[in-house]
Amino acid sequence: MEPFRVKAPAKINLFLRVTGKRPDGYHELYSLICPLALYDTLTLNVGGKGIVVICDHPGVPEDASNLAARSARLFFETVFADKAPPVPGLTIHIDKKIPVGAGLGGGSSDAAAVLKALNNYFGQPLSTQKLMALGTRIGADVPFFILGAPALATGIGDRLDPFAHLTPWTALLVYPNEAVSTAWVYKNLNLRLTKDEKKLSKFHFDGRFFNVDEHLVNDLEPVTEMAFPVIKKIKRLLLEHGAAGAMMSGSGSTVFGLFADAERAISVCTALRDNQLNQNWTLYVADLLI
Ligand code: ATP
């Protein structure tokens, strides 16, 4: 069969509130998540033996731990469990454009793209609901990418309500080339949860109207900022350059600024890129996919 290509978008969290911790150690969230027009491209080739991943990004594993490989294995185990002929082989080539360990969900998106692509390729043996349930076993953000549209997430981020009330925004993303471990951020958040309880209770979101001034809040930001003070600096710069709001996405370290005017976002991107002091940052301009 011919190899085929699929695109895996990034995401940002427009707000992310940590609402509690479960006995099993997972944190419960309330988050508004939106896909972005910044994509990894995956080329899938069904055939041969075993699951092979090819990716030239140094931060992405090419072994069985790659989230795209894990989701392919899970799909095959589920769909081909007791069938002959034997499980097919698969080669996945990942052209990585989404920065790694950046809070933009790149690994989870690759995993979801593989689940959706294989399900289509093999004639949709699994319902979307079943695919999402498989995705949860790979990572909390995977069901969101299977849905592929703005959503309010609760639970550990896996319970999703589509959110249709966003207005168009262009995001200017600044990745300061600092990979952040999500596990580290959650471990250190525990210390702050009690301190910030008052602040937590002040969040009013009616489930409909997203307001940049009021609702752009990320409980993980102060934690990541402790280790990477550059986050505060980027936020300040984005606001000084006219962003309507600026915040870290997910567990970081990417900071996004929201612009109503795409041209303005592009010119600010050029200005920040040209500044000699910011040479180790990577910048992207991407529309929210609403
Ligand atoms: P999140 O916002 O979901 O926490 P992130 O952007 O912080 O995501 P990812 O880029 O998804 O983080 O990668 C996190 C880790 O997963 C990295 O340490 C990376 O080595 C590993 N990983 C495994 N598979 C992939 C993949 N296909 N793409 C990117 N990273 C992967």
Side-chain angles (χ1 to χ4, degrees):
M1 271 297 224
E2 285 288 296
F4 59 101
R5 264 188 202 160
V6 287
K7 293 207 293 184
K11 59 87 182 166
I12 50 173
N13 301 81
L14 290 169
F15 60 73
L16 194 166
R17 311 251 53 188
V18 179
T19 51
K21 193 177 173 189
R22 301 197 315 199
D24 63 6
Y26 280 98
H27 286 84
E28 305 224 303
L29 307 177
Y30 183 41
S31 186
L32 176 54
I33 319 178
C34 186
L36 278 183
L38 166 67
Y39 303 93
D40 288 344
T41 304
L42 288 80
T43 308
L44 277 66
N45 198 351
V46 179
K49 263 197 178 165
I51 297 163
V52 177
V53 176
I54 302 164
C55 181
D56 62 11
H57 190 295
V60 176
E62 291 186 306
D63 60 15
S65 71
N66 189 293
L67 298 176
R70 283 183 54 202
S71 63
R73 198 169 58 239
L74 191 57
F75 179 86
F76 288 145
E77 279 169 10
T78 309
V79 171
F80 291 85
D82 35 39
K83 281 197 194 111
V87 173
L90 176 69
T91 300
I92 308 166
H93 180 276
I94 306 174
D95 180 10
K96 198 83 199 157
K97 289 284 185 293
I98 305 172
V100 177
L104 299 176
S108 305
S109 188
D110 293 352
V114 167
L115 284 176
K116 284 203 278 193
L118 290 178
N119 200 43
N120 285 337
Y121 182 90
F122 288 102
Q124 307 209 323
L126 305 178
S127 66
T128 303
Q129 213 179 354
K130 180 76 192 165
L131 269 191
M132 284 182 165
L134 283 192
T136 308
R137 290 164 61 184
I138 306 286
D141 280 334
V142 180
F144 163 75
F145 286 112
I146 289 173
L147 179 74
L152 274 169
T154 51
I156 58 166
D158 58 332
R159 257 186 268 136
L160 298 163
D161 267 323
F163 184 81
H165 312 293
L166 277 174
T167 50
W169 290 102
T170 299
L172 169 52
L173 305 159
V174 182
Y175 175 59
N177 278 316
E178 304 283 5
V180 173
S181 150
T182 305
W184 180 89
V185 175
Y186 276 107
K187 212 169 104 205
N188 286 276
L189 169 79
N190 296 334
L191 307 170
R192 298 193 61 104
L193 264 183
T194 37
K195 253 202 264 167
D196 288 352
E197 249 164 32
K198 278 205 194 92
K199 199 184 95 191
L200 277 170
S201 62
K202 274 190 194 154
F203 185 69
H204 297 297
F205 178 68
D206 65 4
R208 230 183 107 82
F209 188 68
F210 172 74
N211 179 339
V212 170
D213 297 326
E214 225 182 316
H215 300 134
L216 214 54
V217 183
N218 183 350
D219 287 337
L220 304 180
E221 191 181 79
V223 184
T224 310
E225 226 173 53
M226 282 192 306
F228 303 104
V230 67
I231 287 166
K232 199 176 268 176
K233 180 181 169 188
I234 297 170
K235 274 181 69 174
R236 202 182 53 236
L237 269 176
L238 287 168
L239 293 170
E240 279 169 10
H241 282 78
M247 195 176 75
M248 185 184 86
S249 180
S251 50
S253 61
T254 302
V255 178
F256 61 85
L258 294 179
F259 292 82
D261 176 11
E263 294 303 317
R264 173 84 186 150
I266 292 165
S267 66
V268 175
C269 179
T270 309
L272 293 182
R273 232 180 229 154
D274 289 349
N275 185 332
Q276 293 299 315
L277 296 173
N278 308 331
Q279 287 306 305
N280 58 341
W281 298 354
T282 316
L283 290 91
Y284 310 83
V285 174
D287 288 340
L288 270 62
L289 296 170
I290 60 169

